Amino acid sequence: MDERMIRRLIETAAAQRKYSYAPYSGYRVGAALLARNGTVFTGCNIENAAYGPSMCAERTAIFKAVSEGVHEFEAICVVGGLEESPSGYSVPCGVCRQVMTEFCEPAFPIIVAKDADHYELYTLQDLLPKSFGPDNLRRNTEE
């Protein structure tokens, strides 16, 4: 992935933070998901007073894409932090990593960024080794 696309995804994810609904934690997260067809799907975190029904930015973006029939992705970028300023690197939580495993290959790039000049690049395999995914549920047809 070229540097220009990485910067575009970081800027898009950072801009999505303004839509975050985070009245409890104050931790605002934005995500930008690049589909194989070139479309960028966005997401933000949405909290709930009961916590369990809360939704992460990454899953929001993935579910938006899947709900529109898109299942193939090239990369995702996540930018997060307390209130208005990104603080540190917001690495996807375990649930988001598991959802990514459903749709993405182990080499799927995950960009976590503070801003366009400060980011780290991981693969899904880096963040979720030995994952349980669709291949685990396929029946062996070779007998």
Side-chain angles (χ1 to χ4, degrees), residues 12 17 22 60 68 80 92-93 117 129 133:
T12 302
R17 295 180 70 246
T60 300
E68 294 182 27
C93 74
D117 295 319

Side-chain angles (χ1 to χ4, degrees), residues 9 18-19 40 49 58 73 85 104 112 120 122 132:
L9 291 173
K18 71 182 171 201
Y19 301 115
V40 175
E58 302 91 306
F73 308 112
S85 300
C104 306
V112 294
E120 295 177 356
Y122 299 96
F132 182 89

